[in-house]
Amino acid sequence: MGWGKRSILSAAVTVVCAVTVLAAPGTAFAAPAPTPSTSPSPTPSTSPTPPPSKDLEKVREKLDQLYHAAAVATDAYNAAEEKAKQQSAQIVALAKKIDEGQQKLARLQDQAGAAAREQYRTGGIPPTAQFLLSDDPGQVLDGAGLVLQGQRATKSMMSELTTTQQQLQAYADDAAAQWQKLDAERTAKAAAQKKIQQQITAAQKLESELEKKDRERLAKLEDEAALKAQTQWLDTGILKRIHGTASAQGEKAVAFATAQLGKPYVWGAEGPTSYDCSGLTSQAWAAAGRPIPRTSQEQWQQLKHVDIKDMRPGDLIIYFDDASHVAIYVGDGAIIQAPRPGRTVTVAGAGSMPILGVVRPDA
């Protein structure tokens, strides 16, 4: 595949491709044959074993909606977290400038005070001006030059004093504005966190109300839906048009993502023990030496877009119309992703979800 020894990844990609490419359309996603029952054989009038109930399909759709809403809220939380970090850093920088400005202002005020005290000591006549009272013409000329220099120095000092005071006021105003923004981002984070927890709690409650056999059937429904979408994507012949080779940085990003396989999804997490979707992709590219935006929406907005047929391993695939999910393409029609709460970092089909587009961090 072009990025070294990836035994786990290669095996997983092989499974993804084998299931989707070799399966015959129309039969690949049929429900598994029911386990033989020990109960008496049905009479001719008895209905055969029904497929998964519509109610269970509705549960699957509802879970998709809940986890999608949680993903959207997670992106909002991550965006607020990033902005809060930036604002905190700006406040620290402004505090340093304010401290330096206050020290400079104190020095200038000391200089001005010393000049005022000296003028008072000499009866209101600056020492340089006293030369003008001399009967010696040479001293008068020298004194005139000193007076001019003193006036310029005093004017410069007063100008610097005024400028420093203005800068301090500007820094203070900027810091106050940053504090207000920081407070707003903290509020946004809290609101997003509440929504995330509400959506996940509702999904978990919905799943917990199912019997074990229904939970197992639900898991199969989810897998079948993903495989069906992947097969439909592959049936377009897309893989025949994708021949991109990973860049050196792309190989490093894929290697990093591969090493995270099996680690749990945790919303807001960016490693090293757990990840959310954009936490995984942003850290993969940070490990490759190319920092990228933290959220999937920012990655979609700020990184270069490339056509699907031109994508290569290491590129990021953005999913859903609202760019609420992202995964890293690893080649052969497969991705590595941190899918949702309750799941782990895993290999999946690149076409198993609605693709919004592809972006390239190292364009």
Side-chain angles (χ1 to χ4, degrees):
M1 297 177 68
W3 53 80
K5 296 181 180 179
R6 302 279 187 274
S7 57
I8 296 176
L9 176 60
S10 298
V13 171
T14 300
V15 170
V16 171
C17 295
V19 171
T20 54
V21 177
L22 300 180
T27 60
F29 307 104
T35 304
S37 173
T38 56
S39 59
S41 299
T43 62
S45 61
T46 303
S47 300
T49 303
S53 68
K54 291 184 178 179
D55 287 343
L56 200 57
E57 179 61 28
K58 288 180 180 178
V59 169
R60 185 188 71 80
E61 292 175 357
K62 181 62 177 176
L63 285 172
D64 283 348
Q65 292 171 3
L66 289 170
Y67 283 123
H68 181 262
V72 174
T74 297
D75 224 37
Y77 175 91
N78 290 335
E81 173 72 8
E82 286 302 296
K83 288 180 181 178
K85 287 180 182 178
Q86 293 170 5
Q87 285 150 7
S88 294
Q90 289 173 347
I91 289 171
V92 170
L94 285 168
K96 184 178 180 181
K97 288 181 179 179
I98 289 172
D99 180 62
E100 292 172 348
Q102 287 175 334
Q103 292 181 30
K104 181 178 180 181
L105 184 63
R107 290 195 300 269
L108 291 170
Q109 289 173 334
D110 285 345
Q111 291 175 16
R117 289 192 297 273
E118 178 64 18
Q119 186 171 350
Y120 176 79
R121 188 181 64 79
T122 57
I125 303 175
T128 51
Q130 293 178 24
F131 284 104
L132 297 176
L133 302 177
S134 172
D135 292 332
D136 186 339
Q139 283 189 335
V140 171
L141 290 175
D142 291 341
L146 290 172
V147 168
L148 184 59
Q149 291 177 14
Q151 288 175 340
R152 288 174 177 171
T154 300
K155 184 177 180 180
S156 176
M157 182 181 68
M158 295 308 296
S159 176
E160 190 174 5
L161 187 65
T162 300
T163 299
T164 302
Q165 290 173 326
Q166 291 173 343
Q167 287 176 338
L168 277 172
Q169 186 61 52
Y171 293 152
D173 291 344
D174 196 0
Q178 293 300 330
W179 273 112
Q180 289 180 344
K181 290 180 181 179
L182 180 60
D183 189 56
E185 294 306 330
R186 285 172 175 167
T187 300
K189 273 177 57 181
Q193 181 177 2
K194 183 178 180 181
K195 186 171 183 180
I196 294 165
Q197 292 171 335
Q198 287 175 339
Q199 304 300 323
I200 293 176
T201 298
Q204 291 173 337
K205 183 176 184 296
L206 188 60
E207 288 181 294
S208 69
E209 292 172 349
L210 297 173
E211 294 183 4
K212 182 180 179 181
K213 63 179 182 180
D214 285 335
R215 288 199 295 271
E216 291 173 350
R217 292 169 71 198
L218 179 63
K220 289 181 181 178
L221 280 177
E222 292 175 348
D223 291 342
E224 288 170 2
L227 288 171
K228 183 177 181 180
Q230 173 73 349
T231 295
Q232 289 174 342
W233 184 68
L234 291 175
D235 282 348
T236 64
I238 185 66
L239 282 189
K240 296 178 181 178
R241 304 197 300 272
I242 300 175
H243 303 290
T245 302
S247 65
Q249 286 185 309
E251 289 182 355
K252 291 179 182 178
V254 170
F256 179 92
T258 304
Q260 313 315 309
L261 288 171
K263 293 184 178 180
Y265 176 103
V266 174
W267 61 266
E270 47 188 335
T273 59
S274 58
Y275 297 88
D276 62 20
C277 67
S278 58
L280 176 65
T281 55
S282 61
Q283 288 303 303
W285 273 98
R290 181 64 66 93
I292 63 174
R294 169 66 175 86
T295 72
S296 58
Q297 292 177 348
E298 290 174 326
Q299 289 168 8
W300 174 243
Q301 292 168 1
Q302 298 181 32
L303 300 179
K304 181 179 179 179
H305 292 203
V306 297
D307 194 280
I308 291 179
K309 65 179 176 60
D310 296 323
M311 71 179 175
R312 64 194 188 193
D315 287 347
L316 306 182
I317 303 181
I318 310 295
Y319 293 95
F320 304 107
D321 290 341
D322 53 9
S324 58
H325 188 66
V326 61
I328 185 167
Y329 183 64
V330 296
D332 295 333
I335 56 172
I336 291 179
Q337 64 165 341
R340 66 167 176 83
R343 299 287 190 267
T344 60
V345 176
T346 187
V347 177
S352 58
M353 296 166 285
I355 296 176
L356 177 59
V358 180
V359 295
R360 178 164 296 162
D362 61 339

